[in-house]
Amino acid sequence: RYSESSWDTCWRCPSGAVSAAAASACHACAAGSFSSEEATECLPCAAGSYTSEVGQMTCKECASGYVADGLSSSGSQTCEACSPGKVSSPNRTACLDCAAGRYSESS
C-alpha cells in the first residue's frame, strides 16, 4: 500500500506494481517479472514463461517450439526459438532433439 502526502488513506498497489512500507508511490514490475495486487515484491517469471512488458500481473507461457529456461534471477523477457531438428519440451524449458526418423525444420 502507499499513501499520497495530502491524503489520509493508504491505497493498494495495483497488480503488476509493488511498494515497500511507508511508500508514497507504487513502482511497476520490470519486464520478466510480475506481481499480484498488494504485493511487496515482484516475482520472476517461472521457467517456460515470460513477459516482455513492465507492470504485468501474470507471465505468458512460451509458444510451442520456443523455450525460456528460467535461469535469470530477473525472469525471462522473451522466449528463444528451438533450432531446426529440435522441439520444445512440454513445459517449454528446454529444446529436445527430434527422435531418429523424425525432423523439425524450424519453429
Side-chain angles (χ1 to χ4, degrees):
R1 293 182 181 236
Y2 74 97
S3 175
E4 295 191 15
S5 60
S6 62
W7 297 32
D8 62 357
T9 302
C10 292
W11 303 97
R12 288 183 184 172
C13 290
S15 298
V18 296
S19 74
S24 61
C26 296
H27 301 282
C29 294
S33 65
F34 71 99
S35 76
S36 58
E37 186 177 62
E38 211 170 341
T40 58
E41 65 180 326
C42 297
L43 301 173
C45 292
S49 65
Y50 74 101
T51 180
S52 58
E53 300 175 33
V54 299
Q56 297 301 299
M57 58 189 255
T58 61
C59 297
K60 301 174 191 171
E61 182 180 49
C62 294
S64 180
Y66 291 80
V67 298
D69 60 22
L71 297 178
S72 169
S73 62
S74 59
S76 296
Q77 296 179 21
T78 61
C79 296
E80 303 293 326
C82 292
S83 302
K86 296 183 179 279
V87 295
S88 57
S89 62
N91 61 3
R92 312 288 198 258
T93 59
C95 293
L96 307 173
D97 292 339
C98 290
R102 297 179 176 260
Y103 74 99
S104 172
E105 292 178 341
S106 64
S107 297

